[in-house]
Amino acid sequence: MIQPIKQFRITRLTVSGFKSYGEPQTFHFGDMNVISGHMGVGKSSIADAIAFAITGVTYFASSKIDYLYHQDSRDLVVELEFEDGSGKSRTLTRHRQN
């Protein structure tokens, strides 16, 4: 039987073809993180990518996910690396084409 993961800590996020990130972009996370920047630089894209990797929908639970594609791509990949409650490293990848 698969044991549920009751808590986790995100350590890395890699996106490609996702919203404003056409080329692969990797973000590393620590215990405390601050995401800041001007409007339109991709802050909410990070939240959408995390939500999409875990749930398959956007941060605001929209099932209309076609807007997640980068304007020049119909191939998006989100890879989320995290540690579960026991400290074991795991990777979750969600890939969508067209």
Side-chain angles (χ1 to χ4, degrees):
M1 183 173 138
I2 297 175
Q3 296 298 316
I5 295 173
K6 296 181 179 180
Q7 68 181 43
F8 62 93
R9 183 176 71 87
I10 297 171
T11 55
R12 182 182 55 81
L13 172 70
T14 300
V15 295
S16 177
F18 191 89
K19 292 180 80 172
S20 61
Y21 301 104
E23 297 299 317
Q25 178 72 44
T26 299
F27 303 94
H28 296 274
F29 296 95
D31 292 333
M32 173 86 62
N33 301 281
V34 175
I35 300 171
S36 65
H38 295 287
M39 289 181 61
V41 297
K43 298 178 304 293
S44 63
S45 296
I46 295 170
D48 276 334
I50 292 169
F52 178 68
I54 296 169
T55 67
V57 297
T58 66
Y59 181 69
F60 291 108
S62 173
S63 60
K64 297 179 180 179
I65 57 176
D66 283 343
Y67 84 96
L68 296 179
Y69 288 105
H70 183 269
Q71 64 186 5
D72 297 331
S73 177
R74 297 302 293 169
D75 185 20
L76 70 85
V77 179
V78 176
E79 184 176 274
L80 186 71
E81 185 177 284
F82 63 95
E83 292 178 357
D84 64 16
S86 68
K88 182 177 180 179
S89 182
R90 300 175 181 264
T91 303
L92 176 62
T93 302
R94 199 169 289 265
H95 184 196
R96 187 167 195 255
Q97 290 181 310
N98 298 320

